[in-house]
Amino acid sequence: MGGEVNAAEPPVESRKPLRWSSTPIVFDVEDHPDRTTAVGCLPMLVSPTIRNLKVTKMLVDGGAGLNLISPAVLQKLQIPDSELEESGSFQGINPGRSKPKGKITLPVTFGSELNYRTERVTFDVADFPLPYNGIIGRPALAKFMAASHYAYNMLKMPGPIGVITVRGDQKDALICADKIYQEAAAAATPEPSAVCAPKAKKKTKSGKCSGAHSGKRASSECCAAVKDAPSSSAGKCKKTMAAPPETKTVPAKEDGTGGYHQIFMAEEDEEKTAFITPCGTYCFVRMPFGLKNAGSTFARVVHTAFEPQIHRNVEAYMDDIVVKSKDRATLVQDLDETFANLRKINLKLNPEKCVFGVPSGKLLGFFVSQRGIEANPDKIRAIEQIEAPKRVKDVRKLAGCVAALSRFISRSAERALPFFKILKKAGPMQWTPEAEAALRDLKGYLSTTPILVAPKPQEKLLLYLAATNQVVSAALVAEREAEGEPATAASESSDEQGASPASSGPDKDGSAQKEVQKKMVQRPVYFVSSLLQGARLRYSSVQKLLFGLLMASRKLRHYFQAHEITVATRYPLKRILQNPEATGRVVEWALELSSFGLKFESTSTIQSRALAEFIAEWTPTPDEETPETGIPAKEAGKEWLMYFDGSFSLQGAGAGVLLVAPTGEHLKYVVQMHFPREQATNNTAEYEGLLAGLRIAADLGIRKLIVRGDSQLVVRQVNKDYQSPLMEAYVDEVRKLEEHFDGL
């Protein structure tokens, strides 16, 4: 008896708890689906990753005693039949017993990038008469310790960070269920299928058109067919999507394909589209692709139909239509209004490509959500998977991928410069260490690409500039209040760069007034960058910055025309553009930029410092000046020469400043003063010219400066050889400006 008890008692190893048994799995109200139509009638289909390939339409069947996979999936995985092992027969799917091709063990992964599980699952490879790519049975579910909820159409399993939730794909489930029902109906009542050739209008001898798809009646019939059937080829529109009402804003998107064919041609223009075939002469009844005004005509039709909704709850670009709502009630109303307008223009949609209840979606090649505009992960993945190119064609492909994402990459041309150098070289392609480092840096940057925001109507925008010897770049930024952060006390003081040269004299009282301000953050809107070629490489540093501003105004013209743009830089670009003695290309650029009403602001007056990595690229540090805010460090360390002169007459007072760079470049500035005649003197004008020149030199980042003037009073008083109590205020202001220079 004792032996029988010992034999029935399980071993010690089997009484140990399984690895993932300590993680509780709970289904609650938060898992409840938004719609409860046909509960439990649809199969649960999931899309696991098998051997680094995402496999869709995998049926979860807790009653199946084995795991199945179709041979078509093995072909996509590039697994030869030689790797299959022998397996026994099974029954339950096909009539009688079925013999599989073999069995194979594959790694199966569920979850996201941050929380995922991978287990090795053994599959039997066999053909089965079901529209699935495979069946995940009881053995695989037990290995993952997974729990299924068929009412919620959801699968949960323990993971390294918590419970992994896998929702069933209802779209694939509907398609597969429809195929099964159609096959069952065809097997029950088989009918011969008639093959109908597509009709077209054919020209007759009388010049009229005969035959086929004509009139609005056929279009309305097609519209009804699209509405009733789960899919239809008569109406070709891409997709419609709407976000759940739990989100703050609910976007809905309608992306039409083949929309041109839904617009009827004018009867008098039909003969102009005639073409000859071996069967006769035909013409188009509906607007074909290839017409010069086809795009504008379709856009005009869409905007006319949605004119009451544009910028209110609909945004339309060609055949891409976005419907946006804020709550559940307005979502239904907005969609009803949108569909009513679609019926007015007889625009048909394809239900297979209509999606509702998503918080974000793909629009015009980007991912748009409540957070902002994100880059397409497929494009980012294409760059991350690129290895060291071995052919020129591969380098061109890499450069094209960078160009496609340039909107999201700051200084994209500078990052891709090593790739362009390889393309310019003649002879066999050689992948350089510089290019390899640039590729690694690019992959690291794309791992955390910034999220762009769409500017609000009439919102003020900031523009940052940067320039190197071969690249000019710009970044358009929106400055907004930080959400959920407390207000801070910020000190606001007068900016030296913003001081008017027409002031009557220096102000000794520089007290700052403290006031409570809300914390501001900067959100990027657009990045632009351009590679300098030819004569542009020989531009001076200031001309490169001005060209960067011009390049940004041309590429982002729609932003410059609709918003107030403030150029944030410590370089005196405004003075250079408004210099009356400017000549050549600077005058042409100033005329082109004058139409935008640009404002210029010093970077030192901007209070917000969000997006630390972004600001670090565009804002200089005190120890190291960049071409964005000052002259090159090599030139700043050399001695500059400054001439100043001022004069007073009955017509007014003025001063002039001339800065001579070590390379021989001349920068000229003119100061006009509006002093009362009883207060203005020649000495006052001389001092105003000296102060204006020192402020400009400090803004340029000049460290060593030789100052020359023709006023003995000013020169001797600054050199402490002479004292005058009437000019002490000016001398004190000169002493403050001397702190910005190493040698004066």
Side-chain angles (χ1 to χ4, degrees):
M1 187 66 183
E4 294 179 0
V5 172
N6 292 335
E9 185 179 4
V12 179
E13 292 78 3
S14 63
R15 287 179 294 185
K16 292 182 179 179
L18 298 177
R19 178 184 177 186
W20 303 99
S21 59
S22 60
T23 303
I25 297 178
V26 179
F27 292 92
D28 52 17
V29 181
E30 296 180 357
D31 300 323
H32 196 283
D34 296 335
R35 298 171 180 82
T36 56
T37 305
V39 177
C41 297
L42 296 178
M44 184 186 298
L45 301 183
V46 295
S47 301
T49 301
I50 302 177
R51 227 187 202 188
N52 297 327
L53 177 66
K54 186 177 181 180
V55 181
T56 60
K57 299 181 181 179
M58 294 291 291
L59 175 66
V60 176
D61 187 0
L66 74 166
N67 309 306
L68 288 179
I69 194 169
S70 65
V73 177
L74 258 63
Q75 292 180 1
K76 293 183 179 180
L77 294 174
Q78 298 181 356
I79 298 177
D81 294 342
S82 58
E83 295 187 14
L84 300 180
E85 301 177 359
E86 293 185 1
S87 177
S89 60
F90 61 89
Q91 62 180 4
I93 297 181
N94 296 323
R97 301 192 65 86
S98 302
K99 178 66 176 178
K101 292 185 176 180
K103 64 179 180 180
I104 188 171
T105 302
L106 300 173
V108 180
T109 303
F110 283 101
S112 61
E113 296 179 358
L114 300 178
N115 188 20
Y116 63 91
R117 279 257 322 269
T118 302
E119 299 288 349
R120 297 186 64 82
V121 178
T122 301
F123 290 94
D124 285 89
V125 182
D127 291 317
F128 42 88
L130 294 175
Y132 310 126
N133 290 326
I135 298 176
I136 298 178
R138 192 167 56 250
L141 297 177
K143 203 161 192 176
F144 279 97
M145 297 285 288
S148 59
H149 197 300
Y150 289 98
Y152 290 174
N153 199 16
M154 184 182 297
L155 188 69
K156 288 190 176 184
M157 63 188 70
I161 305 180
V163 177
I164 299 174
T165 302
V166 182
R167 293 186 178 273
D169 194 332
Q170 295 185 359
K171 183 177 178 180
D172 289 343
L174 284 171
I175 295 174
C176 293
D178 183 56
K179 289 182 179 180
I180 294 175
Y181 295 152
Q182 289 180 0
E183 292 176 359
T189 57
E191 294 180 2
S193 59
V195 180
C196 299
K199 299 180 181 180
K201 263 194 174 180
K202 182 177 180 181
K203 295 293 293 181
T204 60
K205 293 183 179 179
S206 60
K208 298 294 182 181
C209 299
S210 62
H213 306 279
S214 60
K216 298 182 179 178
R217 180 180 177 185
S219 299
S220 61
E221 292 174 356
C222 291
C223 225
V226 171
K227 182 177 179 181
D228 297 335
S231 62
S232 174
S233 60
K236 297 180 179 178
C237 251
K238 282 186 183 174
K239 41 174 130 171
T240 304
M241 63 179 185
E246 286 77 7
T247 58
K248 185 177 180 181
T249 58
V250 182
K253 173 188 164 190
E254 299 170 358
D255 188 1
T257 58
Y260 296 172
H261 296 319
Q262 303 187 41
I263 299 178
F264 285 90
M265 293 283 296
E267 188 173 354
E268 61 272 14
D269 294 333
E270 290 177 356
E271 296 182 1
K272 299 175 183 178
T273 63
F275 57 95
I276 301 175
T277 68
C279 302
T281 304
Y282 293 82
C283 65
F284 285 97
V285 183
R286 299 170 183 258
M287 187 171 63
F289 286 86
L291 294 183
K292 189 173 183 179
N293 65 337
S296 59
T297 301
F298 185 81
R300 185 169 59 252
V301 170
V302 173
H303 278 267
T304 303
F306 294 106
E307 184 176 1
Q309 295 181 261
I310 294 294
H311 302 318
R312 179 170 58 87
N313 58 1
V314 165
E315 300 292 341
Y317 175 78
M318 293 296 291
D319 56 350
D320 291 318
I321 305 169
V322 178
V323 183
K324 47 190 181 182
S325 303
K326 292 185 177 181
D327 50 40
R328 184 184 297 272
T330 57
L331 170 63
V332 178
Q333 296 174 2
D334 294 338
L335 289 178
D336 288 341
E337 184 181 3
T338 303
F339 290 146
N341 290 328
L342 286 173
R343 294 187 189 99
K344 289 180 182 179
I345 62 174
N346 220 4
L347 186 64
K348 298 175 288 295
L349 304 177
N350 189 348
E352 287 188 354
K353 297 182 179 179
C354 295
V355 180
F356 298 91
V358 292
S360 63
K362 191 175 180 181
L363 177 65
L364 301 178
F366 306 107
F367 271 84
V368 182
S369 63
Q370 184 180 352
R371 296 191 305 168
I373 305 172
E374 304 179 42
N376 192 339
D378 295 336
K379 297 180 180 180
I380 296 178
R381 195 178 303 111
I383 296 180
E384 291 177 346
Q385 294 177 354
I386 291 179
E387 298 180 355
K390 299 180 180 179
R391 300 177 299 172
V392 176
K393 183 178 179 180
D394 298 335
V395 181
R396 291 174 180 169
K397 179 181 177 181
L398 175 59
C401 294
V402 175
L405 294 173
S406 60
R407 175 177 182 174
F408 300 87
I409 304 175
S410 64
R411 299 186 179 184
S412 58
E414 186 175 347
R415 296 178 187 275
L417 184 60
F419 311 146
F420 296 130
K421 290 181 179 179
I422 294 177
L423 294 176
K424 289 182 180 180
K425 292 182 179 179
M429 196 278 291
Q430 293 183 356
W431 185 250
T432 61
E434 181 186 6
E436 181 65 27
L439 181 59
R440 289 196 303 268
D441 177 71
L442 180 62
K443 291 181 179 179
Y445 180 86
L446 290 178
S447 62
T448 56
T449 52
I451 300 176
L452 306 184
V453 298
K456 301 176 183 178
Q458 306 300 325
E459 183 180 13
K460 296 181 180 180
L461 302 178
L462 296 175
L463 183 71
Y464 289 90
L465 300 174
T468 63
N469 292 332
Q470 296 177 309
V471 176
V472 292
S473 306
L476 197 61
V477 176
E479 194 169 32
R480 300 176 181 176
E481 295 181 0
E483 297 181 358
E485 295 190 18
T488 58
S491 61
E492 183 178 356
S493 60
S494 60
D495 183 18
E496 292 183 359
Q497 183 180 355
S500 173
S503 59
S504 59
D507 187 7
K508 293 184 178 180
D509 187 8
S511 60
Q513 195 174 20
K514 292 187 178 180
E515 59 180 9
V516 177
Q517 296 180 351
K518 292 185 177 181
K519 188 173 182 180
M520 306 296 290
V521 294
Q522 293 178 343
R523 307 294 186 189
V525 176
Y526 214 113
F527 295 104
V528 290
S529 187
S530 178
L531 187 65
L532 300 177
Q533 297 180 355
R536 293 173 180 171
L537 291 171
R538 297 187 292 272
Y539 286 177
S540 62
S541 58
V542 63
Q543 289 180 345
K544 289 180 180 178
L545 285 174
L546 289 176
F547 178 74
L549 176 59
L550 184 70
M551 177 266 301
S553 68
R554 290 173 177 175
K555 291 186 177 181
L556 307 178
R557 190 177 185 86
H558 50 290
Y559 289 114
F560 276 65
Q561 290 178 340
H563 299 270
E564 179 182 324
I565 305 296
T566 301
V567 182
T569 175
R570 287 171 54 192
Y571 206 96
L573 299 182
K574 181 178 180 180
R575 298 178 182 177
I576 297 174
L577 291 174
Q578 296 179 354
N579 186 3
E581 296 186 5
T583 58
R585 62 176 67 94
V586 176
V587 177
E588 298 178 0
W589 296 346
L591 290 175
E592 185 174 348
L593 294 172
S594 62
S595 61
F596 302 116
L598 300 177
K599 293 184 178 181
F600 295 84
E601 185 178 357
S602 174
T603 53
S604 60
T605 64
I606 297 176
Q607 302 295 334
S608 58
R609 282 297 178 266
L611 294 176
E613 72 282 355
F614 170 72
I615 294 299
E617 292 185 6
W618 304 103
T619 304
T621 59
D623 299 333
E624 181 182 0
E625 294 288 342
T626 63
E628 174 205 359
T629 58
I631 59 176
K634 294 182 180 179
E635 296 185 12
K638 298 180 181 179
E639 290 185 348
W640 282 59
L641 190 61
M642 188 187 84
Y643 296 91
F644 72 94
D645 190 14
S647 64
F648 169 75
S649 64
L650 295 178
Q651 287 76 20
V657 178
L658 173 64
L659 287 172
V660 182
T663 57
E665 297 178 357
H666 288 195
L667 300 178
K668 301 178 182 178
Y669 301 91
V670 177
V671 181
Q672 185 179 4
M673 291 167 279
H674 302 280
F675 293 163
R677 293 185 178 180
E678 58 273 10
Q679 295 182 5
T681 61
N682 281 330
N683 294 331
T684 303
E686 293 281 357
Y687 263 111
E688 287 291 340
L690 173 60
L691 293 177
L694 292 178
R695 291 192 185 106
I696 294 172
D699 291 337
L700 292 175
I702 298 173
R703 309 303 301 173
K704 295 182 180 180
L705 183 65
I706 299 176
V707 183
R708 295 180 180 178
D710 59 353
S711 175
Q712 293 294 330
L713 173 67
V714 175
V715 174
R716 294 181 61 187
Q717 192 170 5
V718 171
N719 291 333
K720 301 179 181 180
D721 296 336
Y722 177 77
Q723 293 183 356
S724 174
L726 298 177
M727 298 295 172
E728 287 183 359
Y730 280 106
V731 176
D732 293 341
E733 189 68 17
V734 173
R735 296 289 180 252
K736 293 179 182 178
L737 294 175
E738 286 179 351
E739 298 176 358
H740 295 83
F741 303 94
D742 295 337
L744 183 63

